[in-house]
């Protein structure tokens, strides 16, 4: 079957044989067509597919999903960069990229799982204008039922066997799904005596306070640098577009260091932009990079961008804070 448009398909499988039936055919078809084939899978599935492919496995790039699916926005950035690097063939002509991408669902809080479901929906926007194909396996033996059910809302197609698929009758427009995820986001942090007000020209003092706070909670030097850079970028955006002043609020809970930047808000264009910071910006554009940088450096980000006042909240995982997956109600059921 030859298709030139973007394909995003969920594979809900309940056995190793079902997994291999679909992924083997997907990989073989891609290799036969001269596509670049990338498989980002759980370690046991890397072994299964690698062995089943035999000699052809050398032509497939394998990556352990635990090394790839760290933060939703960074993962989307990695896939975008990979496709940009491989969408030109050895002869210089265009080439399709085929991805078998298996998100990691174990060890996620309900908040994290929702953000990964949002990521799956945003894939449809990020690659809409490409001819790439993405197959996303969901192991029904281990992935919570609510997450498996939501796959039908974030993928336009559902895989059936080796090469068949059907349109998902429950697929949701990414803008609608995005709004549902926003409605389920955590509530704001409380005001406190250690909030840091900022105005134009005082960003150095903010950076210094951020670094002290992060180190005091045990973040590594790298994550401290990431936190300081991300929050500082949000502060710059607030100064530039949000009335020239605002407040940084620093909090921590059992799992995260939380940094909130609130401003008075005046920029109606920024407030109305779809999917702010989730999609890779045009590198040639003069603006539109700030929220992308914030998301690339943070574990998770929520935003409430309004003409009358914006709030950007950045979450950084605290060291040694592993969590156990909890059941929850997925967006829209």
């Amino acid at each position: 079957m030859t298709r030139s448009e973007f394909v995003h398909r969920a594979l809900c499988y309940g056995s190793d044989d079902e997994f291999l039936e679909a992924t083997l055919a997907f990989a073989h078809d891609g290799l036969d067509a001269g596509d670049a084939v990338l498989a980002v899978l759980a370690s046991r599935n890397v072994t299964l597919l690698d062995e089943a492919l035999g000699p052809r496995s050398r032509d497939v790039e394998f990556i352990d999903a635990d090394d790839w699916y760290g933060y939703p926005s960074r993962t989307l950035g990695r896939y975008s960069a990979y496709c940009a690097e491989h969408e030109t063939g050895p002869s210089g002509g265009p080439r399709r990229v085929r991805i078998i991408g298996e998100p990691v669902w174990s060890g996620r809080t309900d908040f994290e799982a929702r953000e990964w479901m949002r990521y799956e929906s945003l894939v449809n926007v990020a690659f809409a204008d490409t001819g790439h194909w993405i197959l996303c396996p969901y192991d029904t033996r281990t992935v919570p039922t609510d997450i498996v059910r939501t796959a039908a809302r974030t993928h336009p197609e559902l895989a059936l066997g080796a090469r068949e698929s059907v349109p998902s009758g429950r697929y949701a427009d990414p803008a609608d799904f995005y709004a549902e995820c926003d409605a389920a986001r955590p509530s704001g942090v409380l005001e406190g005596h250690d909030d840091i007000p900022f105005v134009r020209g005082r960003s150095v003092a903010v950076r210094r306070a951020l670094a002290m706070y992060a180190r005091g909670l045990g973040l590594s030097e790298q994550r401290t640098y990431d936190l300081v850079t991300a929050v500082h970028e949000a502060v710059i955006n607030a100064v530039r577009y949000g009335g020239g002043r605002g407040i940084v609020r620093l909090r921590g809970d059992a799992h995260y260091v939380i940094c909130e930047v609130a401003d008075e808000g005046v920029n109606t264009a920024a407030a109305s932009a779809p999917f702010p910071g989730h999609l890779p910006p045009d590198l040639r554009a003069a603006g539109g990079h700030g929220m992308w940088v914030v998301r690339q450096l943070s574990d998770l980000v929520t935003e409430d961008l309004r003409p009358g006042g914006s709030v950007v909240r950045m979450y950084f995982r605290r060291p040694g804070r592993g969590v156990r997956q909890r059941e929850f109600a997925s967006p829209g059921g």
Side-chain angles (χ1 to χ4, degrees), residues 256-267:
Y256 297 102
V257 177
I258 306 170
C259 303
E260 181 180 281
V261 176
D263 64 51
E264 298 176 357
V266 294
N267 189 333

Side-chain angles (χ1 to χ4, degrees), residues 157-179:
E157 298 182 13
L158 305 177
L160 297 177
R163 293 181 173 86
E164 298 298 319
S165 67
V166 295
S168 173
R170 299 183 61 238
Y171 177 66
D173 182 274
D176 295 335
F177 192 84
Y178 192 98

